[in-house]
């Protein structure tokens, strides 16, 4: 066995062929791992620091023949996922940079063949990705390949401007282990991946802060806080899932406590250090570096505040609340379920900051209500959480400790990672969003707990006591009334995973009940096989549905509308006032400019009109309006508020429902033409109907809309 550190250039050296065993498992990394990988590459670029990317275990393969163009053949025992991801990442980077030579020089042999070949499961998809000439999304056939999904992910999110490939090549290190033919690779693999106990951040910090000469400080600042009795130790030692990692509560505290320090303007921590300090994998070393660089080596700067913040943390953060009945009032209890039940642990530093610095509990609760509104609205519309860490630490940096400032900060975000969804977007989310089970369960649970009366005859259980159930089952074709056409079938299928068709219940239904017809699903078969009425007794979010004689896509839409109305009231807090005002101002600008067609055409170009139509179709198909609006802004320089108006107008035309914000007459005419060409007479009738409703609404507001009405009449005559 040979072992040692190695760079990328040492693994891919131009004369070595790497082989994934033919029957080895498929490539399985998902977005969670790709997110981290991309973040790590940007981290390396920003910090220029050595970065350990794990171990690579290779075993000698067949000896190359004289005819082979490689001189070394290795079988990959461990490291397939990392090496595959690395090559896909480099492929997309080089495509976006139009630098094919860089990729070929690093990852190909002399005859232009790849220096890594996959086994049975991924060979075809890997070759397809490696043959790409442009950084464009490629179709992912059924069954989907994670290799293609990884490629599409990097095409979508990799920004070459944020990466320095030379630094990455020089700073990434692997532990390289080479086995010969006679060594037992299974034993080596199992030993490396299973033995040993990880040293925690808190243990490392304890050894750093306290030595033999300050035992009294240790008793006062550590033992009395973290190890006072068995109950205290059990609290701090409990392990929780936090994103990609499983961490103890004490380590989570030290991370949150440290973020408060490094965001303080008192210490003026430079941005390069903040990037390093924000990572949890070297937290103990970051504490030491911070104290040496920004506190003149004085550990008491941190230790003096440690007990106070730790007590605030223990009082505020209680993961067990996820097992208890939840109050309807905004406050720390509901925040605990958002954090620990719905995996939003990036909130913890800011919540700890508020618990320590905002004395007025009513003001704190008002702020917690705003944070709940912000997070839950974004969850409904399936908005990204990628920037939450930066957002919440920026609130600490700017000392946001009152509700008015928090409202201003949360409502001013304009891009996909920070914006506050409007009521229209919230409604669209309830109608169309297809979320993971945990998010759906959380949305329904928070609505249920927020709207039920304190005098209710039944109590709500803890978040962890509920499971998710489809009212219309995925296998509805077995026992439910069939649809008349394939189009209606597709429409029904599209609604199965939306919020209107999902419910929280206290126990999972027996499989024999789950796919039964609606009457049986409600009533159950017998005491041993209860139905929804028994499993969901007293739940307000299900009462209306259980009174229905039949359940179909029309009832799903109606329930989505009802859930939206509850959510809009519950998650209001006047959070969208600034965004709404911006849209109103833009709307007035458009209406005013309708007087001068020439003026409006200068503002709304043909390119803008066309791209809004294309993205409007994607919004109609279920994609997020905010994300699409950001793409329009990026591609054609349109105002985000205008982009949102046009997206909603196109979607409304395709659905045949009213749109209230003004778009110019030229655009409406263009959309009528394109909808007629693409969707036929039925599609145009819907567009005309939506626009006539728009005319009624605009006229009721006192606006002149005669030209739009005449346009509707003209196109009505055509059909």
């Amino acid at each position: 066995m040979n072992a040692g550190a190695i760079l990328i250039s040492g693994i891919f050296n131009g004369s070595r062929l790497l082989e994934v065993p033919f029957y080895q498992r498929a490539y399985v990394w998902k977005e969670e791992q790709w997110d981290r990988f991309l973040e790590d590459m940007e981290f390396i670029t920003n910090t220029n620091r050595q970065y350990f990317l794990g171990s690579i275990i290779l075993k000698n393969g067949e000896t190359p023949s004289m005819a082979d163009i490689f001189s070394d053949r290795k079988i990959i025992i461990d490291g397939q996922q990392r090496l595959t991801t690395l090559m896909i990442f480099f492929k997309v980077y080089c495509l976006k940079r139009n630098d094919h030579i860089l990729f070929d020089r690093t990852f190909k042999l002399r005859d232009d063949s790849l220096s890594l070949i996959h086994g049975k499961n991924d060979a075809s998809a890997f070759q397809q990705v490696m043959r790409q000439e442009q950084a464009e999304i490629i179709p992912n056939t059924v069954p989907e390949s994670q290799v293609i999904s990884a490629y599409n992910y990097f095409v979508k999110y990799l920004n070459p401007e944020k990466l320095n490939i030379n630094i990455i090549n020089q700073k990434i290190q692997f532990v390289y282990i080479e086995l010969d033919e006679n060594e037992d690779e299974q034993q080596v693999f199992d030993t490396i991946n299973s033995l040993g106990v990880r040293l925690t951040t808190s243990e490392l910090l304890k050894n750093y802060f306290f030595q033999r000469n300050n035992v009294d400080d240790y008793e006062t600042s550590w033992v009395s806080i973290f190890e006072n009795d068995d109950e205290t130790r059990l609290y701090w030692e409990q392990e929780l899932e936090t994103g990609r990692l499983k961490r103890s509560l004490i380590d989570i505290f030290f991370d949150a406590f440290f973020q408060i320090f490094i965001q303080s303007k008192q210490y003026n921590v430079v941005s390069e250090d903040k990037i390093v300090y924000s990572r949890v994998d070297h937290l103990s070393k970051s504490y030491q570096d911070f104290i040496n660089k920004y506190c003149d080596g004085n550990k008491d700067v941190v230790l003096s505040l440690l007990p106070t913040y730790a007590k605030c943390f223990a009082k505020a953060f209680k993961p067990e609340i996820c097992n208890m009945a939840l109050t309807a009032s905004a406050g720390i209890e509901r925040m605990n379920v958002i954090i620990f039940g719905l995996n939003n642990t990036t909130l913890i530093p800011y919540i700890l900051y508020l618990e320590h610095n905002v004395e007025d509990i009513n003001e704190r609760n008002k702020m917690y209500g705003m944070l709940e509104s912000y997070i839950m609205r974004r969850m409904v519309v399936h908005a990204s959480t990628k920037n939450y860490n930066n957002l919440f630490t920026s609130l600490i940096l700017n000392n946001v400790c009152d509700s008015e400032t928090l409202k201003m900060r949360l409502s001013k975000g304009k891009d996909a990672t920070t914006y506050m969804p409007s009521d229209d977007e919230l409604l669209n989310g309830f109608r169309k969003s297809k979320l993971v089970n945990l998010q759906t369960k959380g949305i329904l649970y928070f609505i249920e707990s927020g709207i039920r009366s304190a005098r209710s005859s039944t109590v709500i259980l803890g978040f962890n006591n509920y499971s998710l159930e489809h009212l219309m089952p995925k296998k509805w074709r077995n026992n439910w009334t069939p649809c008349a056409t394939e189009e209606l079938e597709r429409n029904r299928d599209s609604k199965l995973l939306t919020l209107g068709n999902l419910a929280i219940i206290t126990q999972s239904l027996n499989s024999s009940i789950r796919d039964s017809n609606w009457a049986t699903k409600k009533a159950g078969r017998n005491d041993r096989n209860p139905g929804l009425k028994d499993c969901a007794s007293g739940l307000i979010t299900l009462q209306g549905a259980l009174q229905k004689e039949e359940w179909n896509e029309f009832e799903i839409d109606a329930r989505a509308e009802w859930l939206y109305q509850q959510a809009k009231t519950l998650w209001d807090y006047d959070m969208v006032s600034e965004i709404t005002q911006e849209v109103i101002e833009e709307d007035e600008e458009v209406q005013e400019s309708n007087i001068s067609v020439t003026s409006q055409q200068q503002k709304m170009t043909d390119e803008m009109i066309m791209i809004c139509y294309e993205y409007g179709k994607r919004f109609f198909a279920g994609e997020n309006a905010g994300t699409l609006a950001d793409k329009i802004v990026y591609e054609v320089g349109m105002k985000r508020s205008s982009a949102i108006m046009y997206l909603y107008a196109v979607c409304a035309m395709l659905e045949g429902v009213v749109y209230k914000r003004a778009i110019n007459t030229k655009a409406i005419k263009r959309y009528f033409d394109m909808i007629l060409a693409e969707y036929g007479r039925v599609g145009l009738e819907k567009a005309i109907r939506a626009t006539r409703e728009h005319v009624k609404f605009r006229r009721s507001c006192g606006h002149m809309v005669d030209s739009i009405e005449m346009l509707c009449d003209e196109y009505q005559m055509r059909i």
Side-chain angles (χ1 to χ4, degrees), residues 359-371:
E359 294 183 3
D360 186 342
I361 189 171
N362 292 323
E363 183 68 4
R364 279 206 313 269
N365 287 343
K366 188 174 182 180
M367 297 176 79
Y368 293 153
M370 290 178 177
L371 289 168

Side-chain angles (χ1 to χ4, degrees), residues 8-22:
I8 295 173
S9 58
I11 297 174
F12 297 95
N13 60 16
S15 61
R16 171 183 292 148
L17 178 66
L18 301 174
E19 291 186 80
V20 176
F22 191 68

Side-chain angles (χ1 to χ4, degrees), residues 619-667:
F619 179 37
F620 175 66
E623 292 190 40
N624 177 260
T627 303
L628 294 172
D630 288 328
K631 291 181 178 180
I632 294 172
V633 172
Y634 176 78
E635 292 183 25
V636 294
M638 193 173 177
K639 284 187 179 180
R640 187 177 191 275
S641 55
S642 299
I644 288 176
M645 287 192 294
Y646 274 74
L647 287 174
Y648 274 101
V650 172
C651 184
M653 287 183 188
L654 295 174
E655 286 186 337
V657 298
V658 65
Y659 56 100
K660 296 183 178 180
R661 299 298 178 197
I663 65 173
N664 73 19
T665 308
K666 175 185 174 183

Side-chain angles (χ1 to χ4, degrees), residues 416-439:
T417 61
T418 59
Y419 81 102
M420 178 71 174
S422 67
D423 285 349
D424 285 343
E425 289 171 299
L426 189 68
L427 174 58
N428 191 66
F430 274 99
R431 285 174 173 170
K432 296 183 178 180
S433 288
K434 297 177 177 64
L435 309 172
V436 299
N437 285 355
L438 183 67
Q439 292 174 327

Side-chain angles (χ1 to χ4, degrees), residues 531-546:
L532 286 170
K533 285 186 175 180
D534 289 328
C535 294
S537 177
L539 288 172
I540 299 173
T541 49
L542 254 182
Q543 285 180 358
L546 294 179

Side-chain angles (χ1 to χ4, degrees), residues 49 212 232 280 288 304 353 411 426 487 501 508 544 591 603 620 629 640 666:
R49 297 192 179 199
R212 296 178 188 273
T232 301
V280 300
Q288 297 175 46
S304 62
Y353 182 75
S411 64
L426 189 68
E487 183 179 356
N501 190 50
S508 295
Q591 180 61 41
K603 293 183 178 182
F620 175 66
R640 187 177 191 275
K666 175 185 174 183

Side-chain angles (χ1 to χ4, degrees), residues 413-528:
K414 298 296 185 292
D415 62 46
T417 61
T418 59
Y419 81 102
M420 178 71 174
S422 67
D423 285 349
D424 285 343
E425 289 171 299
L426 189 68
L427 174 58
N428 191 66
F430 274 99
R431 285 174 173 170
K432 296 183 178 180
S433 288
K434 297 177 177 64
L435 309 172
V436 299
N437 285 355
L438 183 67
Q439 292 174 327
T440 301
K441 174 181 162 183
I443 291 163
L444 294 171
Y445 181 79
F446 269 82
I447 293 174
E448 179 69 39
S449 62
I451 65 176
R452 62 193 296 113
S453 168
R455 297 189 296 273
S456 175
S457 59
T458 58
V459 297
I460 189 170
L461 304 178
F463 176 75
N464 290 341
N465 298 107
Y466 290 95
S467 60
L468 200 64
E469 182 67 30
H470 294 75
L471 300 183
M472 179 183 291
K474 294 178 183 177
K475 298 180 181 178
W476 59 267
R477 289 172 177 82
N478 293 343
N479 298 298
W480 290 57
T481 304
C483 296
T485 66
E486 289 186 5
E487 183 179 356
L488 291 174
E489 281 192 2
R490 287 193 295 271
N491 180 52
R492 178 175 288 184
D493 286 333
S494 72
K495 297 182 183 296
L496 296 179
L497 300 178
T498 59
L499 286 156
N501 190 50
L502 293 161
I504 52 171
I505 59 176
T506 53
Q507 67 184 76
S508 295
L509 297 180
N510 185 282
S511 57
S512 65
I513 302 293
R514 186 175 294 120
D515 295 335
S516 297
N517 60 43
W518 180 234
T520 304
K521 190 164 188 175
K522 283 196 300 181
R525 297 190 189 281
N526 48 51
D527 291 341
R528 297 182 62 182

